[in-house]
Amino acid sequence: MDSIVSVVEKKEFLRGFLQQFELKRRECAWLLNYLMSDDQIMERVHFVEKAAHTPKALIISTKGVDTIPFSFHKQKHITTDAEKAFHDIRLNQTEDIYIELHFSGAKQYPPFLSVLEDNPYVPENLELAEAFQHEAEKLLERSIRSFKRKQLLQAIDEALDKGDESGFHRLVQELEQYQK
């Protein structure tokens, strides 16, 4: 992925960010300083939102925000161990690194907004996909309830045919739960 933000701009942003904000874990500052020390790695650094959708992500938080201090995501594996993240970055220097930063006022902080890139891994219509999933779950739930009601009605008919009064009453009570 070709970066639209230069290495110099990314480094300037990170220097200012580290001076202005206190990270929840000091290992994160050490990790960001390591990234800044290597221009080739910095070419592969991208500041994005929703980094967990990317193949390789660092999610870092400052004090004053209610999010986890640090997590490293690679494929489907997640760790909160900054040392493991460091070793992975050092051993795989040709892989892009997507960084999500959580800090107070991020949406109004011009230096951050100037280095923020679009996340190419977030589905275009993530909210729409979540809404579809919710609707599909509701439809499935209604279908299951309808199927269960039909089964109970059939069992009630069979209980009536057999003259099973106690079974009939038990099944009617169960059916009432599905009428709500």
Side-chain angles (χ1 to χ4, degrees), residues 134-145:
H134 181 69
E135 286 301 314
E137 288 169 357
K138 284 176 27 180
L139 177 63
L140 180 61
E141 185 178 317
R142 283 194 305 265
S143 296
I144 291 170
R145 290 178 70 82

Side-chain angles (χ1 to χ4, degrees), residues 4-5 19 31 35 43 87 102 107 109 121 130 147-148 153 155:
I4 56 173
V5 181
Q19 288 173 352
L31 190 55
L35 295 175
E43 284 179 22
H87 288 297
H102 295 274
K107 298 284 187 192
Y109 188 60
Y121 294 95
E130 289 171 353
F147 177 74
K148 185 66 174 168
L153 288 170

Side-chain angles (χ1 to χ4, degrees), residues 66-141:
D66 190 26
T67 54
I68 62 169
F70 172 79
S71 64
F72 174 66
H73 301 240
K74 183 158 184 188
Q75 305 305 344
K76 301 290 181 199
H77 302 285
I78 302 170
T79 183
T80 57
D81 186 344
E83 214 171 304
K84 286 183 181 177
F86 166 74
H87 288 297
D88 183 87
I89 291 167
R90 191 175 55 79
L91 294 173
N92 301 293
Q93 294 188 4
T94 60
E95 296 176 349
D96 285 335
I97 305 163
Y98 296 87
I99 300 176
E100 179 176 341
L101 297 173
H102 295 274
F103 60 99
S104 184
K107 298 284 187 192
Q108 294 82 33
Y109 188 60
F112 177 61
L113 297 176
S114 71
V115 296
L116 191 62
E117 298 178 42
D118 288 333
N119 186 336
Y121 294 95
V122 173
E124 260 184 53
N125 294 317
L126 183 61
E127 293 83 18
L128 189 57
E130 289 171 353
F132 283 149
Q133 181 177 350
H134 181 69
E135 286 301 314
E137 288 169 357
K138 284 176 27 180
L139 177 63
L140 180 61
E141 185 178 317

Side-chain angles (χ1 to χ4, degrees), residues 3 6 20 27 29 32 40 43 60 69 86 90 110 120 127 155 176:
S3 177
S6 74
Q20 186 165 352
E27 299 97 327
L32 292 174
Q40 287 181 322
E43 284 179 22
I60 298 172
F86 166 74
R90 191 175 55 79
E127 293 83 18
E176 286 176 359

Side-chain angles (χ1 to χ4, degrees), residues 36-77:
M36 283 191 295
S37 73
D38 188 325
D39 285 355
Q40 287 181 322
I41 292 176
M42 281 303 290
E43 284 179 22
R44 300 200 159 279
V45 167
H46 308 280
F47 297 97
V48 297
E49 295 177 324
K50 296 181 169 97
H53 291 279
T54 66
K56 185 174 184 169
L58 297 173
I59 300 175
I60 298 172
S61 300
T62 64
K63 291 184 177 180
V65 294
D66 190 26
T67 54
I68 62 169
F70 172 79
S71 64
F72 174 66
H73 301 240
K74 183 158 184 188
Q75 305 305 344
K76 301 290 181 199
H77 302 285

